[in-house]
Amino acid sequence: MLYKNKQSKVVASRRHFKKTMLASALAAASCASLAQAQEEQSNNDLMLEEVVVQGTRATIQTTIDIKRSSTTIVDGMSANDIGDMPALSIGEALESITGASSHRENGGATEISIRGLGPYLSATTFNGRNASNGSGDRSVNFSQFPSELVNKVAIYKTQDASLIEGGVAGLIALETVKPLDYNKRRLQIEAKAGFQPNQQNIKDSMAGDVGFRGSASYVDQFEFDSGMALGISLGYEQSDIAQPESEMRASSPSGTSLFACINDPSVTDRGYYMPTAGDCEDPVSGPSNSGDYNTEINPETGEAYDAGKDFAFAPSSNSYRQNDTSDEREAIFAAIQFQPNNKTDINIDYQTSERIQAEKRHDLNFANQKRTTPGVTPESLVVSDSGAITNWKGETAIESNSELYRRDEDYTGYGINVAYDLTTDLTISADYSFSETTRVENQMLLRTQSDDRDVYGELTSQYRPMVQWDRDSGIRQYEITGFDVTDHSLFSDRYRARIDSDVDRTNTIEAFRADFDWRLDGVITAIKGGARYSELEYLDMGPTVRNEFEVTIGDFPTLSNINETCAIEFPESDFLSSERDGALITILDDQGNVTKEVNSWATFDTACAVSMLADFTGESTEFPEMPESLASVTDVTETTKAAYIMADFDSAFMNKTIRGNFGLRVVQTDVESIGYRTPYTIETSDTGILSLVPIEGADLERVEAGGDYTEVLPSVNLIVDLTDDLMLRGAVYRGLSRPEPADMSYQRGFTVSSEEDITTLDELIQNVSGDGNPNLQPLTSWSFDTAIEWYPNQDTMLAFGLYHKSFQGGFETTRTTEEFLIDGQVVPADFDLTETNDDASNLTGIEITATHNFSYLPGFLSGFGAKASYNYAESDFEFEDSNYGDITVRDDEGNIVSQSQGIVEPGNVPGFSDHVFSGQLYYSAGDFDGSLIYKYRSEYFQPYTSNGTRLRYVGDTGVWEARMSYYITDNVRLSLEGINLFDEPKRQYHYTTDNLGEVNSYGPRVFFGVKAKFL
């Protein structure tokens, strides 16, 4: 633990996929054929006093060193200097690690999947502690953390008993610098200017034409005559950039906006062949939203009631969205390392990040896409075998909607760790940590719509013009008859404003752990153990709180005044130009002649229009406050106690060194969930008739529920050194992934029975509604990993891994009897909730990594190097869609309550991609360093945060990146970085993998930077 001075010896789309894989295979094969030459070169290098390696080659050397020196199977990277992490964000840095892939939002990497498994199955630590987030799940938004202030990222793909539990797929670890260990005084300043071609197409954009990222860091160490040592580290980062996004959208299946409508000519009481115009899911007679495809199994036939009938997935609306965005972030990292003597090491660190995302949104919305127009829609409908519509025609209202959106997300984390050497062989340590994320989202919306009259009252158009669209070019493109979407005055239906407080969430994690490390002589080289206590609190104030007001149709003076005052020119040129073939919208006259082709529509200044509406109606434009207790609030506290014991071993067998560890971790978790509901009293009439009567004027009643589980997690990690440069690894461990905090809510409401002769308590409640299961159990798995790794020199690695995971647990809907305490009495009622069942499933995969530097080649060729990684996996896990999947509901005794026969294939493990690949070609020569990177992942199932039981797929994605840097002096470096170079969009699909729901086009992003170091 002594502070020691150290000499620094090292300064540090599918069409592309097959081609890139071939190139990577050739690079990997060259490792073996050129190893001897490389070893000779390495021997020559030993004759030199010092070898200076920097840039990409130095970073890749750290990835090799991290993997080789770890007992568990780990892939990662470490920057040789502060701010040298080779990525624009932590998410993008993690993407370059073997087996890691990202989910993209706003064009950047956010959530990370390990080996193709979604973030739900991973855990994340920041300086060894759990990190909170504001999304309601356990994934971490890595764009929250600036890459300039993080010095090491690693992914633990196997686990040992000392690691914090929570990741079946693996553990992502982020670390900032420890100042004494850094052992250099350094003042560093870096500034980057961001340029995005798509941003230049937006007039008067929120973030301006050029974005900015700047960081400053200072590290220093102080030695005292008494033997004490003190190190400090300070870091500051500020970012103000744009994230332009052009979108084609359709209603998602997360609510009640996407139905499978019957498309069968023999069915005329509902669906597309109804004799009168109307929404296809509304039957001619009967309640609304009840006429879609009926998946319930008919007991007489054993099949769904609508088995054999054709259907088509009908969204409530389709739209285009033009976005103008601003992303501002300010982050501060600080650390103190203090060693008062040669036995004590004290580390204190603090991080805070404040991020504001703001958007100006303009939507052109086709509002009645579920509507069938007799004689038009059914005859024109073109539908795939899986129900995806590719051509539609009918009458639909057209809206120009504008919106101002803002998200404020703040992260605060800090901790203190004290380690003390009781003896030369025994070290004890204690660690306290705190992490909190708050997220608040607000929206201001304006809706305007087509009508028979314009804003001046003149008959000029139709309320629902005739519209036709197809997907022949890949995205929806429209023909509109008799309605010019660029004419502001035609959007004349009632003007409606909404002021929404949309999200108010707080996620807090507080933890304490104590550990010991007893080092021994012999086969057992160390015994480690410890205990940890943590408390996670998740508070979501519930759904949107809205203030809504409008000017009704017919008030033409007001409508025209607002229309004329707040009309603006369409903000963006070349909208969706990279995704369309021809014009987005073709306008026809009544005879079918083309009158105009456009890629824009009439737009309005949201704040202007909402303010004028508020003045006219006497309303306020202030965002409403979220109440402290709502029937749909989520208030979850998860308390975890864990203890572990682990032994390190090192021995020899048949002249081979065998080392590793084995251990056991025991985890006990308790969950308390708080909800609120209307309070009732139970009244009994003179004749003994019971009734529930709400208490007039009373506040909502606080109710509680909970759950618990205890899991035993053994682990073994083994390494056999076959030769000096060849090792064989193996690992067996049991892991768990916890339920999402948002899924453990206790939201319960009930409908009072309308019967008039109730005499028993169990008849008082007619049905129960709500969400969440506080007793949701974790998903566990046994994992088996093996790998063989070859390290011929510090620049070369070839690794092949095989892994298998046996999952225990799936998700099912169960009808259970819950007991409600009402007026001091227990009232039972049935409720359907999601539970973790005992279903078994398996996942098997391979992982290949190769990296090599060609320093032995002559001339400029000696500067080239390459790195490639590939992960392939198969899984039989099944995730059924809650609307149109195969669903069996059982009661507590296992009896079948209801069954449905699905019409959509089940999803796989959330976030699971069959193929994940990354390849990098780099060149380093003197002061120049450059690299070209390609990242690919195949399609995957991505659950919705608001409703994680509906299927949404993200399509195959391949993204190119490039980086270059040059030292103009020893302490000043210029850099040029670009991501998404070829404007790869993100495509999302609803229910099936061909039902295109959303296309997000971001464009490339380029940053030019200068970094200066002051020693």
Side-chain angles (χ1 to χ4, degrees), residues 488-593:
H488 292 79
S489 68
L490 297 184
F491 292 95
S492 55
D493 195 359
R494 57 184 182 178
Y495 283 15
R496 182 179 65 198
R498 289 176 174 172
I499 313 293
D500 291 349
S501 294
D502 226 18
V503 169
D504 188 347
R505 299 188 189 123
T506 303
N507 183 11
T508 304
I509 303 174
E510 192 170 16
F512 175 82
R513 66 180 297 171
D515 300 86
F516 72 86
D517 182 354
W518 183 23
R519 297 168 292 280
L520 304 170
D521 294 325
V523 174
I524 302 298
T525 59
I527 296 177
K528 302 174 182 179
R532 180 176 182 269
Y533 175 89
S534 70
E535 186 173 272
L536 178 150
E537 296 182 351
Y538 175 72
L539 177 64
D540 187 336
M541 297 309 299
T544 300
V545 179
R546 172 171 293 165
N547 179 24
E548 184 174 333
F549 46 93
E550 63 182 38
V551 175
T552 59
I553 187 169
D555 191 345
F556 295 114
T558 303
L559 292 173
S560 60
N561 187 28
I562 296 174
N563 187 286
E564 292 173 354
T565 304
C566 302
I568 60 173
E569 184 180 352
F570 189 75
E572 183 174 351
S573 60
D574 291 332
F575 176 74
L576 276 178
S577 58
S578 61
E579 300 303 315
R580 55 180 163 85
D581 182 10
L584 289 176
I585 302 160
T586 300
I587 300 172
L588 310 176
D589 62 20
D590 293 337
Q591 287 74 43
N593 301 311

Side-chain angles (χ1 to χ4, degrees), residues 16 97 123 126 153 162 177 221 310 385 438 478 558 569 683 698 716 727 737 761 782 864 922 940 946 966 1008 1011:
H16 305 306
I97 295 175
F126 196 93
V153 295
S162 67
V177 67
Q221 303 83 29
D310 291 336
D385 291 340
T438 60
Y478 294 80
T558 303
E569 184 180 352
E683 295 186 356
V716 178
M727 66 172 58
S737 287
L761 292 174
W782 278 99
F864 281 103
Y922 67 90
Y940 56 98
S946 58
Y966 183 76
F1008 174 77
K1011 180 170 71 174

Side-chain angles (χ1 to χ4, degrees), residues 168-485:
V168 166
L171 174 72
I172 300 171
L174 312 180
E175 294 182 15
T176 54
V177 67
K178 288 185 176 180
L180 289 181
D181 296 346
Y182 185 67
N183 194 33
K184 288 181 290 185
R185 176 184 296 172
R186 173 63 45 82
L187 172 62
Q188 183 171 286
I189 298 174
E190 183 171 16
K192 295 179 181 179
F195 176 83
Q196 295 171 279
N198 286 14
Q199 183 71 9
Q200 312 310 307
N201 297 331
I202 301 176
K203 300 174 183 177
D204 300 322
S205 63
M206 299 170 65
D209 292 336
V210 179
F212 171 78
R213 290 174 62 145
S215 64
S217 58
Y218 174 69
V219 184
D220 208 346
Q221 303 83 29
F222 306 93
E223 296 181 74
F224 302 95
D225 293 339
S226 61
M228 293 190 301
L230 174 69
I232 60 171
S233 174
L234 300 172
Y236 174 80
E237 193 255 5
Q238 186 175 28
S239 174
D240 186 358
I241 61 174
Q243 295 179 322
E245 183 176 13
S246 304
E247 304 177 43
M248 186 216 74
R249 305 164 59 86
S251 299
S252 75
S254 59
T256 57
S257 299
L258 182 58
F259 291 92
C261 286
I262 299 298
N263 184 34
D264 191 324
S266 65
V267 180
T268 58
D269 63 335
R270 57 197 169 110
Y272 282 102
Y273 285 88
M274 290 189 298
T276 57
D279 288 352
C280 59
E281 88 285 2
D282 293 341
V284 173
S285 61
S288 300
N289 299 343
S290 65
D292 59 326
Y293 187 102
N294 189 351
T295 61
E296 184 182 354
I297 290 181
N298 183 342
E300 296 182 2
T301 64
E303 293 184 312
Y305 279 99
D306 283 334
K309 294 184 175 66
D310 291 336
F311 62 89
F313 287 112
S316 293
S317 64
N318 293 328
S319 63
Y320 296 126
R321 170 170 288 178
Q322 185 273 331
N323 271 335
D324 180 11
T325 68
S326 170
D327 188 338
E328 300 179 47
R329 181 178 62 199
E330 189 172 28
I332 298 174
F333 287 20
I336 297 174
Q337 188 175 8
F338 178 53
Q339 294 176 354
N341 51 54
N342 62 359
K343 294 184 176 183
T344 308
D345 188 24
I346 302 171
N347 285 274
I348 303 172
D349 62 88
Y350 173 83
Q351 314 89 36
T352 181
S353 175
E354 298 180 359
R355 187 181 184 194
I356 300 174
Q357 292 175 269
E359 296 184 12
K360 290 182 179 178
R361 301 168 173 173
H362 296 289
D363 292 357
L364 180 67
N365 191 48
F366 298 89
N368 305 122
Q369 295 298 289
K370 296 184 298 180
R371 184 177 177 83
T372 181
T373 304
V376 176
T377 305
E379 287 77 8
S380 65
L381 212 60
V382 178
V383 184
S384 72
D385 291 340
S386 61
I389 298 176
T390 58
N391 189 91
W392 180 92
K393 186 175 183 179
E395 296 174 339
T396 177
I398 303 175
E399 298 175 348
S400 175
N401 300 331
S402 300
E403 180 179 338
L404 296 177
Y405 165 85
R406 173 169 166 147
R407 172 192 289 177
D408 291 69
E409 185 159 299
D410 297 341
Y411 173 86
T412 300
Y414 55 84
I416 179 170
N417 182 282
V418 179
Y420 181 72
D421 289 339
L422 282 175
T423 69
T424 56
D425 298 321
L426 179 60
T427 300
I428 60 173
S429 63
D431 186 276
Y432 168 79
S433 63
F434 177 88
S435 171
E436 182 175 83
T437 300
T438 60
R439 177 183 290 184
V440 175
E441 296 179 11
N442 296 314
Q443 296 184 83
M444 178 182 290
L445 303 95
L446 169 72
R447 193 217 69 163
T448 70
Q449 194 176 63
S450 57
D451 190 61
D452 297 336
R453 300 176 182 269
D454 63 17
V455 293
Y456 306 107
E458 299 294 329
L459 283 168
T460 57
S461 184
Q462 297 181 36
Y463 169 43
R464 293 192 179 100
M466 185 66 69
V467 173
Q468 182 271 333
W469 61 260
D470 60 51
R471 277 175 39 195
D472 294 346
S473 68
I475 65 172
R476 295 182 190 90
Q477 292 176 270
Y478 294 80
E479 287 186 351
I480 304 174
T481 300
F483 186 90
D484 185 354
V485 295

